[in-house]
Amino acid sequence: MQIICVDDHPVLLEGLVNTVQHLVKNANVQGFTKAEEAFAFAKQNGCDILFCEIQLYADGGMTLAEKIRKQFPRANIIFATVCSESEYAKEVIDVRLSGYITKPITKARVREELHNLRYPIAGCFV
């Protein structure tokens, strides 16, 4: 299973990657601070789950989510963001998200989103 985490704040990204690695058995979890690097990695390696901040510098997280959805229609996209759901309600619906977590990110919230994926992946989560 390929999981990609994207946040332009390195400390927050490290925390998210560590949390996901702790909760998901046998997954390759990669973290990126730039959307274009994350997308290049996904094109080479696939993407089952994307955790992404909406407001990334330069190329935004919403754009990345749209690219991932187009390239990998069954990818589970979970926004892990400082943005309230109401700020991006229409865009969030259009991307067909799997989940939405507002920061601060907790292990419990990540676990909950992993157990309620739009496209379930059986037997992988703690």
Side-chain angles (χ1 to χ4, degrees), residues 6-118:
V6 186
D7 196 311
D8 50 11
H9 298 295
V11 173
L12 298 177
L13 175 61
E14 182 180 351
L16 177 59
V17 168
N18 289 339
T19 298
V20 173
Q21 285 175 329
H22 178 78
L23 293 172
V24 184
K25 298 184 262 182
N26 302 320
N28 181 23
V29 182
Q30 296 293 318
F32 298 91
T33 57
K34 296 181 180 164
E36 61 273 5
E37 292 173 2
F39 187 65
F41 179 85
K43 286 194 330 187
Q44 290 285 341
N45 300 283
C47 180
D48 297 301
I49 302 172
L50 171 68
F51 284 91
C52 186
E53 168 62 65
I54 291 175
Q55 293 185 332
L56 295 173
Y57 298 125
D59 193 14
M62 189 66 69
T63 301
L64 174 60
E66 290 167 350
K67 287 180 179 179
I68 291 289
R69 171 68 63 224
K70 185 174 183 179
Q71 185 81 23
F72 306 99
R74 293 188 58 83
N76 290 287
I77 299 171
I78 301 169
F79 281 131
T81 182
V82 296
C83 302
S84 71
E85 294 176 43
S86 61
E87 287 181 72
Y88 290 93
K90 183 187 179 321
E91 292 90 345
V92 165
I93 291 169
D94 290 345
V95 174
R96 298 181 318 276
L97 288 185
S98 179
Y100 199 103
I101 304 170
T102 53
K103 293 177 182 176
I105 302 215
T106 65
K107 187 186 294 186
R109 285 291 291 132
V110 171
R111 181 183 291 116
E112 181 182 339
E113 294 302 334
L114 289 171
H115 284 283
N116 292 295
L117 294 173
R118 181 181 187 95

